[in-house]
Amino acid sequence: MKTAIYPGSFDPVTNGHLDIIQRASTMFDKLIVVVLINPLKTYSFSIPERVDLLSRVTAGLGNVEIDSYDGLLADYFKQHDVDVIVKGLRATSDFEYEFQMAHTNKDLNPRAETVFIPATANTTFISSSMVKQVAMFGGNLSKYVPSIIHEDISRKLKREFERKREEAAKKRGLDD
Ligand code: PNS
């Protein structure tokens, strides 16, 4: 039995991620999608929220599990019965960073091999940060995230944007 893990921030999950999940789930017996933390990033959604969104959009995929981990991917790999790491590549601009991560993971755990799956052409431009900007300004998300999570994503990000605007206005007031 071959088990793959698909790690990422998923802040939030997009149609691009779902494309990779669907295709990888047909290549392996089991696929574990793992929400991890990049300590250099700030996130809009909490880990339980990201796990919930992922669980809802993958509910129809019988061999896909969702998990989260607060630590190194190489250590998750050691602690679970996993064979390979799957990553999606959207464009050559992703390559350098992903190549570096694949080598770092293998250096930390020599068993941790990474395989890359090229994004489907119509999802190559979709990223979580682009989705967040569109949602914050109330734009139409229908082509970028699965329909069952549109509402939740829009509501949360509009609220966050309003809060940021208020904070910025207050700060401007204090600076004057
Ligand atoms: O979706 P992202 O933000 O590109 O995902 C990056 C992520 C979260 C998979 C990566 O930062 C990660 O693996 N974080 C856990 C810590 C780790 O193992 N880092 C890799 C060695 S530098």
Side-chain angles (χ1 to χ4, degrees):
M1 165 147 159
K2 284 271 174 211
T3 301
I5 42 175
Y6 178 37
S9 294
F10 305 109
D11 186 52
V13 58
T14 67
N15 283 344
H17 297 129
L18 194 56
D19 166 56
I20 300 294
I21 293 171
Q22 280 163 341
R23 289 160 62 211
S25 73
T26 67
M27 296 173 199
F28 301 97
D29 300 300
K30 182 163 135 189
L31 178 71
I32 309 174
V33 182
V34 192
V35 178
L36 286 151
I37 298 164
N38 176 345
L40 306 177
K41 273 190 181 174
T42 55
Y43 292 112
S44 299
F45 293 85
S46 68
I47 290 192
E49 284 171 331
R50 285 181 262 158
V51 166
D52 174 63
L53 293 172
L54 276 162
S55 302
R56 284 158 57 198
V57 302
T58 59
L61 300 170
N63 64 339
V64 174
E65 283 177 17
I66 313 299
D67 199 3
S68 63
Y69 187 67
D70 181 4
L72 286 173
L73 175 58
D75 289 340
Y76 184 95
F77 201 101
K78 262 182 216 148
Q79 292 159 18
H80 296 77
D81 190 15
V82 172
D83 299 291
V84 73
I85 299 166
V86 164
K87 293 302 288 280
L89 279 186
R90 287 166 300 187
T92 48
S93 51
D94 280 347
F95 183 75
E96 205 172 324
Y97 173 64
E98 292 296 346
F99 194 70
Q100 201 179 18
M101 287 226 285
H103 278 295
T104 306
N105 286 323
K106 192 159 166 57
D107 200 48
L108 293 169
N109 176 358
R111 254 191 8 93
E113 292 289 356
T114 301
V115 298
F116 293 111
I117 300 180
T120 299
N122 63 351
T123 66
T124 49
F125 66 98
I126 303 176
S127 68
S128 296
S129 53
M130 174 275 254
V131 163
K132 286 200 259 191
Q133 281 200 50
V134 174
M136 281 179 174
F137 285 107
N140 181 358
L141 292 182
S142 60
K143 288 197 200 137
Y144 314 134
V145 298
S147 55
I148 54 165
I149 59 171
H150 281 178
E151 267 304 305
D152 287 352
I153 290 179
S154 297
R155 198 173 337 107
K156 165 102 190 185
L157 290 170
K158 272 190 212 156
R159 257 203 327 257
E160 184 186 326
F161 194 38
E162 283 311 314
R163 193 176 40 78
K164 280 191 174 148
R165 272 186 164 151
E166 279 165 23
E167 276 170 17
K170 258 190 218 149
K171 191 170 180 308
R172 271 200 309 275
L174 289 174
D175 290 344
D176 287 345

